[in-house]
């Protein structure tokens, strides 16, 4: 069934143990009770569709999914479960984020249905009522709509706490096109997937208006620069550069802008439905202006990104010499010259860095060792990832300098907590859990971060709440939930965890993927969370 869970009536229990069922539309089914997770259901339960799952007659997975599905059918994409908001991606634009809707949640919060504006409103009200910093954690699998929820939270705060003087809230929103261009990409599940994690802190002054912000970025998926799966794309900015004007493309050594001409782009998807690279390129340039980037800084940013793109076209040909070791050579000298010009690197030094590795020995002269073609490609890719990662870090730093008003107004301008910390609302937009055909080390870190976040959620929602009930002698029915502690132990345990074993393997003289896998399977052969494909 496409629904996952289907309501059905029990018609007959067979002697074999199978059950004969009849669905709502009259379809007859025979199922094995042992193989399928059947849950008892009363038809009256289906008649009550609630906006807070706490109000369900029975709180089980099938009824939760049914309730969410029925609300989703009528474009009610938000559902509460206590103080937690469940959001389902509608994959279409809905009129849920207008200034009129913001006004309703600002003035009559208690009478409004579940909405991301409600979460932002609660955080803003609690900030001043408790004089304590607030955090909004947005998690979910890739494609769930986390980035959009983050933007809507920021839009709400910008509207209700706007500053007529500095216009700082508009600058905060202007950072999105830049960060999305350099940090987002198309994946199998999501056309605009954040390939980095970010924590945005919004600061307030004593007048309850926004007076600054700061973004902390985590784990940019740098490996995407050099490799993408067939149905995926590299970071948006590369395609935006290729869609720029002929004059700009000439300045950036991008030829006619054909993305298939670039080694770092041709392996993945080229065009994506719903993404207009030309328009988004213009939005990014406008965002640079709003955030007071100088013309020289913008030019340097674009040149660096184009330099990384051209670096992928530096291909290598193996040396024909067999007796005396000689380095491989460049297949296309033009790409080397383009990278040298764009990154402002001396061409001689660039060529040496890509074709040789230097062996340093104490008390002796340095020795340049020629690289084989495959080794030179690995060096090229490492350089591309390093440069792109540093560029992204610089962009975040520069944006933070434009949004942090402490130097301009002085630290005394900020509202403070009782212990002297700046009063702020933090929004965590964590990258989604995802499993690809080939998964990089970065993807392991991304999924590990999600597992840790799930553990935090379980701790606050189930473990601590139930421990409090026990402590106070309150009678309750224990809620069963999937505890992922075993998965976390497998990844992070000292000495025997996956992370520790990776650290150990890279120190080995002949360490490799194969030997690492053999050791992992030998060490954790009976672990339920580790399986060999």
């Amino acid at each position: 069934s496409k629904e996952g869970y289907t309501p059905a009536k029990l018609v007959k229990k067979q002697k074999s143990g199978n059950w004969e069922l009849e669905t709502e539309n009259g379809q007859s089914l025979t199922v094995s009770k042992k193989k399928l997770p059947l849950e008892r259901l009363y038809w009256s339960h289906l008649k009550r569709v609630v906006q807070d799952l706490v109000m369900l007659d029975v709180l089980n997975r099938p009824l939760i999914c049914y309730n969410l599905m029925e609300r989703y059918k009528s474009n009610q994409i938000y559902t509460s479960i206590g103080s937690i908001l469940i959001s389902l991606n509608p994959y279409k634009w809905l009129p849920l984020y207008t200034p009129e809707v913001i006004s309703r949640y600002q003035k009559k919060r208690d009478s409004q249905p579940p909405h991301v504006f409600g979460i932002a409103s609660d955080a803003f009200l609690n900030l001043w009522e408790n004089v304590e910093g607030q955090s909004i954690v947005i998690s979910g699998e890739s494609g769930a709509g986390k980035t959009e929820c983050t933007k809507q939270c920021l839009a709400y705060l910008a509207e209700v706490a706007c500053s007529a003087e500095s216009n700082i809230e508009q600058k905060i929103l202007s950072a999105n096109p830049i960060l999305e261009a350099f940090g987002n990409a198309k994946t199998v599940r999501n056309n605009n997937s954040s390939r980095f994690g970010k924590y945005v802190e919004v600061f307030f002054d004593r007048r309850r208006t926004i007076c600054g912000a700061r973004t902390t970025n985590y784990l940019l998926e740098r490996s995407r620069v050099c490799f993408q799966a067939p149905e995926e794309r590299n970071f948006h900015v590369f395609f935006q550069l290729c869609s720029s004007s002929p004059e700009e493309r000439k300045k950036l050594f991008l030829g006619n802008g054909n993305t298939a001409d670039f080694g770092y782009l041709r392996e993945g998807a080229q065009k994506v439905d719903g993404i207009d690279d030309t328009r988004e390129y213009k939005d990014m340039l406008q965002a640079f202006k709003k955030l007071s980037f100088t013309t020289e800084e913008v030019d340097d940013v674009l040149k660096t990104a184009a330099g990384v793109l051209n670096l992928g076209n530096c291909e290598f040909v193996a040396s024909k010499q067999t007796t005396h070791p000689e380095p491989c050579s460049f297949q296309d000298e033009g790409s080397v010259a383009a990278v040298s010009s764009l990154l402002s690197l001396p061409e001689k030094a660039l060529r040496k860095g890509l074709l040789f590795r230097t062996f340093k020995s104490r008390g002796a002269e340095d020795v340049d060792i020629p690289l084989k073609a495959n080794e030179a490609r690995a060096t090229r890719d490492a350089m591309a990832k390093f440069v792109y990662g540093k560029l992204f870090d610089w962009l975040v730093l520069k944006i933070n300098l434009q949004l942090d008003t402490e130097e301009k107004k002085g630290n005394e301008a900020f509202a403070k907590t009782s212990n002297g910390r700046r009063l702020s609302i933090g929004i965590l937009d964590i990258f989604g859990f995802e499993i690809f055909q080939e998964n990089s080390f970065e993807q392991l870190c991304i999924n590990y971060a999600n597992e840790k976040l799930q553990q935090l959620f379980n701790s606050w929602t189930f473990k601590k709440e139930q421990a409090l009930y026990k402590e106070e002698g309150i009678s309750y029915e224990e809620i069963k939930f999937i505890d992922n502690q075993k998965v976390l132990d497998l990844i992070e345990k000292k000495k025997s965890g996956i992370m520790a074993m990776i650290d150990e393997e890279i120190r080995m003289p002949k360490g490799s993927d194969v030997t690492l896998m053999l050791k992992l399977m030998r060490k954790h052969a009976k672990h339920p969370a580790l399986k060999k494909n």
Side-chain angles (χ1 to χ4, degrees):
S1 170
K2 286 188 288 186
E3 288 80 13
Y5 290 95
T6 301
K9 178 174 68 175
L10 174 62
V11 176
K12 183 181 178 181
K13 294 182 181 179
Q14 298 177 350
K15 291 182 180 179
S16 62
N18 292 340
W19 284 14
E20 290 183 18
L21 306 175
E22 182 182 327
T23 64
E24 287 180 295
N25 60 11
Q27 182 184 3
S28 296
L29 298 170
T30 301
V31 301
S32 169
K33 187 187 175 186
K34 293 181 180 179
K35 294 182 180 179
L36 284 179
L38 301 174
E39 296 270 1
R40 182 179 292 276
L41 172 73
Y42 295 99
W43 288 107
S44 59
H45 294 168
L46 302 181
K47 295 177 181 178
R48 290 188 67 239
V49 177
V50 299
Q51 63 181 23
D52 190 334
L53 296 177
V54 172
M55 304 306 294
L56 285 173
D57 294 313
V58 178
L59 197 62
N60 60 28
R61 185 180 292 183
L63 206 53
I64 288 173
C65 290
Y66 182 83
N67 193 91
L68 293 173
M69 181 181 69
E70 290 300 304
R71 288 177 60 78
Y72 186 81
K73 286 178 181 177
S74 58
N75 289 329
Q76 295 175 300
I77 63 172
Y78 295 114
T79 305
S80 295
I81 178 164
S83 61
I84 299 164
L85 182 72
I86 298 173
S87 171
L88 301 181
N89 192 340
Y91 292 100
K92 61 183 178 182
W93 290 109
L94 296 174
L96 299 176
Y97 312 105
T98 62
E100 292 76 20
V101 177
I102 290 179
S103 180
R104 291 206 303 270
Y105 281 85
Q106 184 182 5
K107 295 174 182 177
K108 299 178 180 179
R109 164 69 183 102
D110 294 337
S111 60
Q112 299 304 312
H115 197 292
V116 66
F117 288 162
I119 295 292
S121 176
D122 290 343
F124 186 70
L125 293 173
N126 290 336
L127 183 77
W128 302 108
E129 186 176 323
N130 302 323
V131 197
E132 282 186 343
Q134 304 292 307
S135 289
I136 299 172
V137 179
I138 302 173
S139 66
E141 66 179 10
S142 182
K146 299 179 298 299
T147 299
E148 197 59 36
C149 281
T150 301
K151 288 193 281 189
Q152 297 304 340
C153 283
L154 290 172
Y156 180 88
L157 295 174
E159 185 68 24
V160 303
C162 60
S163 169
E165 298 173 11
S166 64
N167 206 30
I168 187 70
E169 66 283 346
Q170 292 307 316
K171 289 185 177 180
I172 294 171
L173 299 178
S174 294
N176 284 327
I178 300 172
L179 294 179
E180 287 189 15
F182 286 86
N184 288 26
K186 179 200 180 313
T187 64
V188 174
R189 293 186 177 186
N190 185 0
N191 287 350
N192 188 35
S193 176
S194 296
R195 307 317 300 162
F196 70 105
K198 66 174 177 287
Y199 181 65
V200 183
E201 279 186 286
V202 182
F203 302 108
F204 299 84
D205 60 24
R206 296 185 181 90
R207 296 173 298 174
R208 302 193 176 190
T209 60
I210 294 174
C211 64
R214 179 173 59 222
T215 297
T216 306
N217 62 298
Y218 306 95
L219 279 175
L220 176 70
E221 189 191 21
R222 296 182 301 172
S223 59
R224 181 168 293 271
V225 172
C226 307
F227 171 80
Q228 314 92 45
E231 295 180 29
E232 304 201 345
R233 277 208 326 177
N234 211 320
F235 292 103
H236 294 325
V237 67
F238 296 126
F239 297 89
Q240 292 174 13
L241 289 173
C242 289
S243 70
S244 61
S245 68
E247 294 78 16
E248 290 173 305
R249 291 200 303 268
K250 183 178 180 181
K251 186 172 64 176
L252 298 173
F253 296 88
L254 298 178
N256 62 5
N258 183 5
T259 54
D261 290 340
F262 296 95
Y264 284 160
L265 304 184
R266 69 170 67 103
E267 298 300 325
Q270 306 295 311
K271 294 289 183 182
V272 179
D273 292 338
I275 292 182
D276 185 339
D277 292 314
T278 303
R279 179 182 58 80
E280 294 189 1
Y281 178 66
K282 292 176 181 176
D283 290 345
M284 178 183 68
L285 294 180
Q286 194 62 34
F288 279 131
K289 286 183 180 178
K290 290 179 180 177
L291 288 167
S292 303
F293 279 68
T294 66
T295 303
E296 291 75 16
E297 287 172 335
V298 174
D299 286 344
D300 286 344
V301 167
L302 300 182
K303 283 181 179 179
T304 304
V308 170
L309 195 52
N310 276 278
L311 191 56
N313 281 1
C314 291
E315 265 303 331
F316 306 92
V317 180
S319 170
K320 295 179 181 179
Q321 284 282 350
T322 54
T323 53
H324 300 288
E326 284 191 8
C328 56
S329 57
F330 291 101
Q331 191 173 34
D332 176 18
E333 297 290 341
S335 297
V336 189
V339 174
S340 170
S341 175
L342 290 166
L343 298 184
S344 299
L345 293 172
E347 188 172 335
K348 185 177 179 181
L350 176 63
R351 294 173 66 88
K352 181 181 176 182
L354 291 174
L355 298 179
F356 295 87
R357 64 182 176 92
T358 303
F359 180 77
K360 294 180 179 290
S361 178
R362 189 178 298 176
E365 289 186 9
D366 294 346
V367 179
D368 293 330
I369 302 174
L371 296 178
K372 297 176 183 177
N374 62 324
E375 294 172 332
R377 290 188 198 98
T379 301
R380 173 202 66 191
D381 291 346
M383 177 180 173
K385 290 184 284 187
F386 176 82
V387 172
Y388 193 81
K390 289 297 182 182
L391 172 61
F392 190 78
D393 288 342
W394 182 86
L395 284 169
V396 173
L397 177 64
K398 178 69 177 177
I399 289 170
N400 284 340
L401 289 173
Q402 296 300 320
L403 300 182
D404 192 343
T405 58
E406 182 174 1
E407 291 185 8
K408 301 168 188 174
K409 289 187 175 182
N411 194 39
E412 67 279 356
F414 293 89
K416 304 271 184 77
T417 62
S418 56
N419 60 6
R421 298 187 64 180
R422 295 193 206 176
L423 209 53
S424 68
I425 294 177
I427 304 173
L428 177 66
D429 176 12
I430 192 77
F431 16 45
F433 185 95
E434 207 159 6
I435 299 175
F436 299 106
Q437 194 68 31
E438 291 186 28
N439 298 278
S440 64
F441 174 72
E442 288 147 324
Q443 192 60 43
L444 171 65
C445 294
I446 287 169
N447 291 347
Y448 171 49
N450 275 276
E451 292 287 0
K452 291 289 281 186
L453 194 61
Q454 183 63 38
Q455 181 72 357
L456 177 68
F457 178 86
N458 288 344
S459 177
W460 281 100
T461 310
F462 300 115
K463 292 180 180 179
K464 291 188 178 181
E465 196 72 20
Q466 291 181 167
L468 184 63
Y469 286 175
K470 285 181 181 178
E471 188 180 317
E472 297 183 357
I474 298 174
S475 178
Y476 70 98
E477 184 177 342
E478 188 169 343
I479 299 173
K480 294 181 180 180
F481 61 93
I482 299 174
D483 190 345
N484 63 344
Q485 187 59 54
K486 288 183 178 179
V487 176
L488 290 174
D489 289 342
L490 173 65
I491 297 171
E492 67 185 7
K493 203 167 185 180
K494 290 183 178 180
K495 295 185 179 180
S496 62
I498 290 175
M499 292 295 189
M501 292 182 73
I502 291 174
D503 279 343
E504 181 184 344
E505 191 65 20
I506 60 176
R507 295 192 188 101
M508 294 293 183
K510 294 184 179 180
S512 68
D513 294 349
V514 175
T515 54
L516 173 64
M517 277 303 302
L518 290 172
K519 290 176 183 178
L520 281 172
M521 295 310 300
R522 195 161 51 238
K523 187 77 175 178
H524 302 288
K526 296 182 180 180
H527 199 289
L530 185 67
K531 293 181 181 178
K532 186 177 181 181
N533 290 334

